[in-house]
Amino acid sequence: MDIEASGAIKHFYPNPSLMLVYFEALANALDANATAISIDIEIDSFDKPETLKVTITDDGDGFTDENFTRFRKLLKPRDKYHKGIGRLVFLNYFHRVEVSSIWDGKRRDFTFTEDFNTDVPIQDAPDEDGNKTILTFSRFANDRVKAYDHLIPDALKPQIIEHFLPILSSRKREGGSFEIKIVLKTTEANPEKGFFPDEVMIAPGDLPQMEQVVIQDNQLDAFSPVTIHYHVEQVSGKGSHLIAFDIDGRTIPVSLIPAASFPLDYRCVFLFESEIFHTNADSSRQKIVLPEGLREAYLYHVLRREVGKILSEKIPAIVEKNKSTKEQFEKNFPHLLGYFEAETAGIIDKDEALSHAQQKFFKAQKEVLQSETLNEHIYEKSLELSSRALTEYILYREKIIGRMREMTSENSEADIHNLIVPQRHEFPQDEALSQIYQNNAWLLDDKFMVFRTILSEKRMDNVINAIRLDEEKLDDDGRPDIAMVFSADPEDSVPVDVVIVEIKKKTDDEKENLYAITQLLQRAEKLVQHCPNIQRVWYYAVMQVNDNLATRLRQMKWSPLFSKGKVFYQEYDTSHPDGSIVPTPTFVISFDAIVADAQCRNHTFLEILRSGMKKYAEDQK
């Protein structure tokens, strides 16, 4: 050969595959007008690659003087549609390729190796009938065959059909015939891997029946349209999909649409053919190289849009499924409305759609936060993003409410307390932004959103010991089950409010319930004595409120509050050590009231924000 082969192989085939050996040999045969091709694969066992031998036979034009001259001179292609280097991949997998070619009563035999002798005479073959070219690949160059699918006929068949679908479909449309036989011979089978002696055939009937649509887009090319050849068919069992460019009679797959966008029981094929793409492939024909001036993003946008139209027309179920998905997005992710892709192809991949929308959201936030001046555009954008961030927070609150609704009698009191206010963790006031997702005291009242200071376990133990009542029944760790959150650090000099949540044992014993309420006042008094800078105590007793207890509370001048459960309110006064009065608004509340009331308040916020986000997204569209 007129070039150093080993270096050329690495240069032109950076990602080789044994499949390329079949592809290049078949491409040569098809270029030579072959109609009958056979691939015979012989190997003792999959674990003995050194015994691999592949024989490819065709009835094409053969190694005439013209064809042989091109073969021996690397980089001398037949025309602009050929690369002139395909045979290099042979030597990447086999040290020896024996060639025997017969045509028009003549014969040429030679061995293709790295030190290929290009001086090969022609012999007469008067007794031979018809054309026949045989390529025998031997002395496998690698330590192993990477995959069973590179040897199994049933696996090779669909790969060969997909790779040569353009040229084979063209022959079928023109009424031409072809037959490609694939045979595997082995002495040590592995049925579990589908590896056993077998034979399959590829004929025109194996090709999908293609339809086509033509796109004329001046932004792509003013003169050359793009033709989409496509096939969409429902199948029994697992389907498949292929999206590829038709470049010089072969396919180059492209990741235009995620695999999850196709229904599992459909076979979908999309081939893009145009003069724009012809000859624009890399040397190994594994990647498209777009011509200068053609924007990849816009090309893919147009192709994705058109494929989406075809899928929606051919598979109506996609439209219904996507409609349902978009409704779910509106319900569950209203803060991202306007960031979801307006045009989709196939079934919407929820994870990918959410990921892309979230990335756009973060990018917009970054743009606003990094801006040095607050012009009109940035101001409007900041208002929009603030609404989105608030919507996201309200959605988070929905999750918390749902979690509380799911709690049963099997949950401990500590589980409930930790959901409202995390116990035994200290969150200082200066970390307010990160703590907004830690303090859920808003379940009781939205004004407690601004309360931030939650005491650490050590400080909480000191407070608990100070407010423990005599003869009080404690939980397993020796402390009453109480959660509290302060408006600021109680050890500072500034006056603070405190919210206390105490869950009382469920009982219908009226006497015990009323005594539990009396305990609240005693505990409030001890707390004010322990933390003298407390200016107000918001006390919540979560307990079982039956009809009898509700009646008794009314008689004792407790005020019933509007609620979807049962809530009673009483304003008490707690004496401060200095003689002043600390207001102690006290609430007796049923557990179901916490959940129902919080859900009602939050749902109102959410619907307002969701409606606003939806309107904004529609206006932008």
Side-chain angles (χ1 to χ4, degrees):
M1 197 185 315
D2 298 345
I3 192 170
E4 202 278 312
S6 59
I9 291 170
K10 295 177 182 178
H11 177 76
F12 292 116
Y13 290 93
N15 298 301
S17 165
L18 181 57
M19 287 301 305
L20 295 180
V21 173
Y22 303 123
F23 290 163
E24 293 303 328
L26 285 170
N28 290 339
L30 291 171
D31 282 344
N33 303 307
T35 58
I37 306 171
S38 66
I39 303 173
D40 293 277
I41 303 168
E42 299 179 53
I43 189 171
D44 289 351
S45 73
F46 184 78
D47 296 328
K48 296 178 180 178
E50 69 277 5
T51 64
L52 176 63
K53 185 174 78 169
V54 177
T55 304
I56 299 180
T57 306
D58 71 75
D59 62 351
D61 297 337
F63 276 83
T64 63
D65 287 343
E66 180 183 353
N67 290 341
F68 182 70
T69 298
R70 280 195 301 270
F71 183 88
R72 69 184 181 86
K73 288 185 178 293
L74 198 65
L75 299 176
K76 187 177 181 180
R78 172 186 302 180
D79 50 42
K80 67 178 182 177
Y81 302 115
H82 294 79
K83 302 295 183 182
I85 59 172
R87 55 198 173 280
L88 273 179
V89 78
F90 297 165
L91 301 182
N92 193 72
Y93 284 91
F94 296 91
H95 291 301
R96 186 180 181 88
V97 183
E98 296 178 28
V99 180
S100 177
S101 182
I102 300 169
W103 75 98
D104 297 338
K106 298 178 182 180
R107 181 186 191 113
R108 176 177 268 125
D109 297 316
F110 61 92
T111 301
F112 181 51
T113 60
E114 284 201 26
D115 55 355
F116 172 43
N117 181 6
T118 60
D119 184 15
V120 180
I122 296 178
Q123 304 175 39
D124 291 330
D127 297 331
E128 298 290 346
D129 184 21
N131 294 357
K132 178 186 292 186
T133 296
I134 304 173
L135 277 65
T136 304
F137 301 82
S138 60
R139 294 180 58 196
F140 190 63
N142 292 354
D143 295 333
R144 63 187 181 89
V145 178
K146 289 186 178 181
Y148 281 94
D149 285 355
H150 292 168
L151 302 177
I152 297 173
D154 272 334
L156 291 174
K157 178 177 178 176
Q159 294 182 76
I160 291 172
I161 290 177
E162 287 189 357
H163 188 76
F164 292 104
L165 186 56
I167 190 171
L168 295 179
S169 295
S170 177
R171 285 197 178 186
K172 179 180 179 180
R173 287 194 302 270
E174 294 170 1
S177 64
F178 61 85
E179 181 181 275
I180 303 174
K181 182 170 65 173
I182 310 170
V183 180
L184 171 63
K185 299 177 182 177
T186 181
T187 55
E188 296 182 29
N190 186 343
E192 291 183 0
K193 297 291 186 178
F195 184 74
F196 48 80
D198 195 13
E199 177 180 324
V200 299
M201 194 75 70
I202 299 174
D206 294 308
L207 304 184
Q209 190 67 38
M210 307 293 281
E211 301 179 65
Q212 72 178 43
V213 61
V214 179
I215 308 168
Q216 182 67 63
D217 189 312
N218 290 341
Q219 292 190 52
L220 294 178
D221 191 283
F223 303 101
S224 300
V226 176
T227 301
I228 301 180
H229 302 274
Y230 67 91
H231 174 83
V232 179
E233 174 192 16
Q234 190 169 18
V235 296
S236 59
K238 186 177 180 181
S240 62
H241 71 275
L242 170 67
I243 302 181
F245 290 99
D246 170 1
I247 299 184
D248 311 331
R250 304 202 218 177
T251 61
I252 295 185
V254 58
S255 297
L256 188 69
I257 301 173
S261 298
F262 294 90
L264 296 177
D265 57 343
Y266 272 82
R267 181 188 185 188
C268 302
V269 179
F270 293 90
L271 297 181
F272 309 124
E273 187 271 331
S274 173
E275 285 291 335
I276 304 172
F277 311 137
H278 285 177
T279 75
N280 289 308
D282 66 354
S283 57
S284 62
R285 297 185 183 274
Q286 294 175 295
K287 182 180 179 181
I288 186 171
V289 180
L290 295 178
E292 185 177 352
L294 181 58
R295 292 181 293 129
E296 180 181 281
Y298 183 72
L299 170 64
Y300 285 10
H301 164 75
V302 171
L303 298 180
R304 191 179 296 112
R305 179 191 66 203
E306 297 301 323
V307 169
K309 290 179 181 179
I310 294 171
L311 288 173
S312 296
E313 178 186 346
K314 295 294 182 178
I315 313 176
I318 288 179
V319 178
E320 293 300 317
K321 188 173 183 64
N322 286 349
K323 180 182 177 182
S324 175
T325 298
K326 291 177 180 178
E327 290 174 352
Q328 291 179 21
F329 285 163
E330 286 186 12
K331 178 181 178 182
N332 299 328
F333 306 98
H335 63 295
L336 297 178
L337 292 179
Y339 289 135
F340 292 106
E341 293 291 339
E343 295 179 349
T344 58
I347 299 172
I348 294 175
D349 186 320
K350 294 181 182 179
D351 291 339
E352 183 171 354
L354 285 173
S355 177
H356 286 172
Q358 193 73 59
Q359 289 174 13
K360 290 181 180 179
F361 183 31
F362 289 155
K363 183 178 180 180
Q365 287 179 314
K366 184 178 179 181
E367 176 189 350
V368 170
L369 294 174
Q370 290 183 343
S371 62
E372 297 181 357
T373 59
L374 190 64
N375 57 35
E376 187 66 22
H377 168 72
I378 296 297
Y379 174 69
E380 293 291 338
K381 195 69 176 177
S382 65
L383 293 181
E384 175 212 331
L385 294 175
S386 298
S387 298
R388 291 183 184 277
L390 178 58
T391 306
E392 187 176 23
Y393 171 64
I394 297 300
L395 286 169
Y396 157 79
R397 297 192 355 167
E398 285 280 286
K399 298 296 184 182
I400 295 298
I401 294 169
R403 177 71 185 92
M404 178 162 276
R405 189 189 304 113
E406 293 172 356
M407 287 192 171
T408 66
S409 57
E410 296 181 1
N411 291 99
S412 67
E413 294 174 352
D415 290 338
I416 300 173
H417 273 312
N418 280 324
L419 190 60
I420 299 174
V421 178
Q423 294 180 296
R424 306 179 186 184
H425 293 279
E426 187 160 6
F427 300 99
Q429 180 75 19
D430 58 2
E431 296 179 5
L433 184 60
S434 62
Q435 292 168 33
I436 195 169
Y437 290 97
Q438 301 290 340
N439 167 28
N440 297 318
W442 52 264
L443 284 161
L444 305 171
D445 196 306
D446 283 312
K447 61 176 169 283
F448 299 140
M449 283 176 58
V450 299
F451 286 34
R452 293 285 185 268
T453 304
I454 303 170
L455 299 182
S456 65
E457 181 174 1
K458 182 178 180 181
R459 295 178 67 191
M460 187 67 175
D461 283 343
N462 292 335
V463 174
I464 292 297
N465 289 331
I467 66 177
R468 183 179 288 131
L469 305 178
D470 297 335
E471 300 180 358
E472 182 176 21
K473 185 176 181 180
L474 309 178
D475 61 12
D476 294 338
D477 60 3
R479 54 187 287 179
D481 199 0
I482 297 174
M484 60 180 68
V485 55
F486 294 83
S487 61
D489 193 325
E491 293 185 357
D492 291 344
S493 58
V494 296
V496 298
D497 283 15
V498 61
V499 178
I500 302 176
V501 183
E502 187 167 355
I503 299 177
K504 293 298 184 180
K505 180 182 177 181
K506 287 186 177 182
T507 178
D508 287 323
D509 189 317
E510 183 178 325
K511 181 178 179 180
E512 186 171 342
N513 283 333
L514 291 174
Y515 177 67
I517 295 173
T518 301
Q519 285 183 315
L520 305 182
L521 306 180
Q522 297 174 7
R523 195 168 335 266
E525 184 177 1
K526 285 179 173 286
L527 180 60
V528 170
Q529 291 174 357
H530 180 71
C531 302
N533 61 333
I534 291 178
Q535 65 178 355
R536 183 181 285 103
V537 179
W538 302 88
Y539 217 125
Y540 288 82
V542 183
M543 60 190 348
Q544 184 167 314
V545 183
N546 58 21
D547 292 340
N548 290 335
L549 180 59
T551 300
R552 202 67 60 230
L553 290 173
R554 287 190 180 92
Q555 291 175 337
M556 297 170 63
K557 305 304 181 182
W558 283 74
S559 301
L561 300 182
F562 175 78
S563 170
K564 291 186 176 296
K566 293 180 179 178
V567 179
F568 289 86
Y569 167 78
Q570 180 74 281
E571 180 84 26
Y572 286 105
D573 293 335
T574 299
S575 297
H576 194 277
D578 63 5
S580 61
I581 298 300
V582 176
T584 308
T586 306
F587 300 81
V588 172
I589 182 170
S590 61
F591 180 80
D592 62 324
I594 297 178
V595 175
D597 292 349
Q599 183 177 19
C600 184
R601 296 195 312 272
N602 203 66
H603 186 70
T604 301
F605 284 135
L606 186 57
E607 286 305 303
I608 293 172
L609 291 167
R610 182 183 282 127
S611 177
M613 288 294 99
K614 185 176 180 180
K615 184 177 184 303
Y616 174 81
E618 291 173 349
D619 290 345
Q620 291 296 103
K621 187 185 302 183

